[in-house]
Amino acid sequence: MNSPSVRALLVRGMLAGLAAGALALLVAYFLGEPKVDAAIAIEEAAAAAEGSGHDHGEEAPVSRTLQATAGLGTGVLLYGVALGGIAALVFCFALGRIGRFSPRTTAALTTLGLYVTVTLVPFFKYPANPPAVGDPETAGRRTALYLLMIALSVLLAAGAVILGRRLAPALGNWNASVAGAVFFIAAVTLSYALLPGIDEIPADFPATLIWQFRLSSLAIQTALWASFGLVFGALAERLLVPAGGSREAGKEAAQPTG
């Protein structure tokens, strides 16, 4: 694939990420923020009951209203743009290398793979918790473990793809794909067992709120990835397949040049 096409796909990926971020922002505001407010209210009530000495009359540097609107919007939209750019580069590498698929199908498969490796695998080991949950002194360790799980997931997924391609001539595409998937699942399971767990949820914190917050966090990520895959697939198809082009033309456009 030539450099102009990569640049054009990168721009389209960032635009698709911006559009996906806008949808994820709506989900975060209407579904996620109420759970954050509920968790903060519980934390403040517990601190007041214990007389922890917090000065509740002192205003925070950034108001909660600003955090839930401008702060949330800026963070989610920038995250969407960055995610879109990275996903577009992954798409450029995958195009024509994972099979003779059209650009739209390749975009869908690439997005699904990134969603599984970057979101689902880390989520099931280190799920998101409300702001009132967790020891502030272990925040750095928890963040490092979460990022390590993402890195391991991506590396294991890449290894599974490579394994599948190596086995394809001997086993056929379907059996090789199954073997790669089994390797990925087994390796992720081993990683789950070896990496330390984190359990800092207070015994008196409502379990229902914990799971509502986690499900809303997963819903935000799902909305982001799904909308990105749909929008970017359409944009990539329009760029790489000429107007009125046939399905075969789309497959020819998907062939790698290097």
Side-chain angles (χ1 to χ4, degrees):
M1 181 177 294
N2 55 46
S3 295
S5 294
V6 173
R7 286 195 296 269
L9 286 168
L10 177 61
V11 172
R12 282 161 175 77
M14 295 173 71
L15 290 175
L18 181 63
L23 177 61
L25 175 59
L26 293 176
V27 178
Y29 184 78
F30 289 106
L31 192 61
E33 284 303 304
K35 308 303 183 297
V36 174
D37 289 337
I40 292 175
I42 291 174
E43 181 184 33
E44 291 177 347
E50 294 174 1
S52 58
H54 290 176
D55 187 1
H56 298 289
E58 180 182 352
E59 294 187 3
V62 179
S63 69
R64 175 65 189 138
T65 301
L66 188 60
Q67 292 176 3
T69 53
L72 176 66
T74 301
V76 173
L77 292 177
L78 288 178
Y79 176 73
V81 171
L83 176 148
I86 295 172
L89 294 178
V90 175
F91 168 85
C92 292
F93 178 80
L95 190 63
R97 291 183 171 87
I98 60 174
R100 287 175 55 85
F101 301 113
S102 69
R104 191 187 296 263
T105 302
T106 302
L109 293 174
T110 301
T111 302
L112 178 61
L114 289 172
Y115 172 67
V116 171
T117 55
V118 176
T119 297
L120 288 186
V121 170
F123 174 84
F124 288 121
K125 177 62 178 178
Y126 301 116
N129 286 324
V133 173
D135 184 355
E137 295 183 357
T138 64
R141 176 175 177 270
R142 285 184 278 122
T143 301
L145 286 172
Y146 182 79
L147 294 177
L148 175 60
M149 191 68 250
I150 293 178
L152 282 175
S153 178
V154 171
L155 290 175
L156 292 175
V161 172
I162 293 173
L163 177 64
R165 293 191 62 182
R166 295 284 179 86
L167 294 177
L171 301 181
N173 290 334
W174 175 258
N175 291 332
S177 298
V178 172
V182 170
F183 164 79
F184 178 73
I185 294 172
V188 167
T189 301
L190 182 61
S191 299
Y192 280 4
L194 294 178
L195 288 176
I198 297 176
D199 185 10
E200 298 181 352
I201 300 176
D204 58 346
F205 197 91
T208 300
L209 181 57
I210 290 285
W211 282 106
Q212 287 177 343
F213 179 85
R214 290 175 176 177
L215 290 176
S216 64
S217 299
L218 186 59
I220 294 167
Q221 291 288 336
T222 302
L224 183 70
W225 284 107
S227 55
F228 169 79
L230 292 172
V231 175
F232 179 68
L235 294 177
E237 189 98 350
R238 291 185 60 182
L239 174 68
L240 298 175
V241 179
S246 63
R247 183 181 298 270
E248 289 302 318
K251 291 183 178 179
E252 289 297 325
Q255 296 308 303
T257 59

